Amino acid sequence: MNRKDIPSEEEQFNAYKSVAVRVKPYSVIIRTLDLGGDKFLSQLDVPREMNPFLGWRAIRFCLAQPNIFKSQLRAILRASVYGNIKMMYPMISGVSELRQANAVLEEVKQELRQKNVPFNEKIPVGAMIEVPSAAITSDILAKESDFFSIGTNDLIQYSLAVDRVNEKIAYLYEPAHPAVLNLIKMVIENGHKNDIPVALCGEMAGDIALTMILLGLGLDEFSTSPIAVPEIKKIVRSIKYSEAEKIAEKALSFSTGAEVQEFAKAKLRELVPDIAEELSS
């Protein structure tokens, strides 16, 4: 977003390789091009849309622009031999898109095989769950994914029909809304039934008031900003998993997001008081 041209395959390859080498043996998850909504490069001839967050973005854009998509896929695959790289597709709304994206990926793999270019044949490929239709059909998607990452920023705004950047309705943007929690619960359960891990990203992942609830719902990974990591780790280490499960079960019994938030904050004050002080300050 800080440049006027699209990065070349070679530039992407070098960037991905650099990160993979530095964090090896730990994993690196590379998201395929997630342009759209409020993020578009000026040199791309993208028409103005009345509802850009519901429009031509992320995986939809990539499938319609196979040259751009394939360039990134080649770069990711080439870099995959230098570390523990995983990749995932954003904005998947159903299994058809997942299959289309995987078909393009297979084409790129075949091209690299023919040129004897090495890559990880078993590179894990996951799906972002940020569209309600994906959450509701996550049992189907889980059968064809290696992992899930729940994108809460979009999942919340789509589930509640709330534009998260509209100040007039900001009060309606509730991460703890029962509908949101139940969708997250559904995705985690469907992922685990199919033996795949489920992560969660977005602002909600760093909301310390909700950490115990998410943990109790069975979440495997929190993807959050570095500044929140110490607090999240302390909360996770401060309670037993069985305790977190009871907290999550109780949270799901409330009727409103406000009730869930109050309950979550009370539990945080009770179980991790020093972290709770930071929340209230």
Side-chain angles (χ1 to χ4, degrees):
M1 298 304 297
N2 63 351
R3 55 192 288 168
K4 294 182 178 180
D5 59 334
I6 299 172
S8 68
E9 178 185 328
E10 210 60 30
E11 284 181 278
Q12 293 184 68
F13 163 70
N14 287 324
Y16 303 152
K17 175 185 173 182
S18 174
V19 175
V21 167
R22 291 184 185 196
V23 303
K24 188 178 179 180
Y26 300 106
S27 63
V28 179
I29 300 178
I30 301 175
R31 189 188 308 191
T32 59
L33 195 61
D34 199 8
L35 289 177
D38 56 350
K39 303 186 295 290
F40 261 118
L41 302 182
S42 59
Q43 79 278 11
L44 296 176
D45 187 19
V46 177
R48 279 190 166 282
E49 297 178 315
M50 289 185 65
N51 297 299
F53 283 99
L54 299 178
W56 199 44
R57 57 177 299 204
I59 198 63
R60 301 169 181 179
F61 174 82
C62 287
L63 291 173
Q65 299 286 330
N67 290 338
I68 294 174
F69 191 29
K70 284 185 174 183
S71 177
Q72 185 182 23
L73 294 179
R74 280 193 298 270
I76 293 171
L77 289 172
R78 288 171 55 201
S80 67
V81 296
Y82 294 94
N84 183 7
I85 288 181
K86 304 175 184 179
M87 61 175 285
M88 67 178 178
Y89 307 123
M91 195 75 178
I92 292 291
S93 61
V95 75
S96 295
E97 282 178 330
L98 179 61
R99 288 172 180 170
Q100 288 176 58
N102 279 334
V104 178
L105 178 63
E106 188 52 45
E107 287 178 21
V108 173
K109 285 182 175 181
Q110 190 55 34
E111 291 171 6
L112 293 178
R113 290 187 195 107
Q114 290 172 352
K115 295 177 180 178
N116 294 316
V117 177
F119 64 91
N120 178 10
E121 288 277 1
K122 296 182 179 179
I123 184 171
V125 180
M128 284 197 73
I129 308 298
E130 49 194 328
V131 180
S133 61
I136 294 167
T137 59
S138 54
D139 56 332
I140 300 170
L141 290 167
K143 292 177 174 61
E144 302 185 32
S145 302
D146 293 314
F147 62 91
F148 282 155
S149 182
I150 304 172
T152 53
N153 291 350
D154 275 335
L155 184 63
I156 295 166
Q157 77 166 347
Y158 293 144
S159 300
L160 305 181
V162 176
D163 181 352
R164 65 176 191 255
V165 297
N166 186 330
E167 293 180 2
K168 293 181 180 178
I169 54 173
Y171 69 97
L172 291 171
Y173 188 84
E174 292 185 284
H177 192 289
V180 175
L181 294 182
N182 275 287
L183 284 175
I184 291 171
K185 177 175 183 284
M186 180 188 299
V187 174
I188 293 171
E189 288 179 346
N190 285 330
H192 290 173
K193 282 177 188 175
N194 289 276
D195 298 319
I196 67 170
V198 181
L200 183 140
C201 59
E203 295 301 315
M204 188 175 180
D207 187 339
I208 59 174
L210 301 178
T211 301
M212 289 186 286
I213 295 174
L214 294 171
L215 182 66
L217 290 175
L219 188 68
D220 299 299
E221 297 178 17
F222 292 78
S223 175
T224 184
S225 60
I227 196 170
V229 171
E231 293 178 330
I232 301 295
K233 288 173 76 173
K234 180 161 187 176
I235 294 168
V236 170
R237 289 168 171 171
S238 298
I239 62 170
K240 294 180 179 179
Y241 181 62
S242 58
E243 203 168 24
E245 286 184 304
K246 291 176 183 176
I247 290 171
E249 184 179 358
K250 179 66 176 177
L252 290 169
S253 71
F254 293 109
S255 304
T256 69
E259 290 172 333
V260 174
Q261 284 282 3
E262 280 305 307
F263 167 72
K265 290 176 182 178
K267 278 296 175 184
L268 194 63
R269 285 193 292 269
E270 175 190 337
L271 298 170
V272 199
D274 51 338
I275 294 289
E277 285 179 18
E278 297 177 27
L279 187 67
S280 57
S281 62

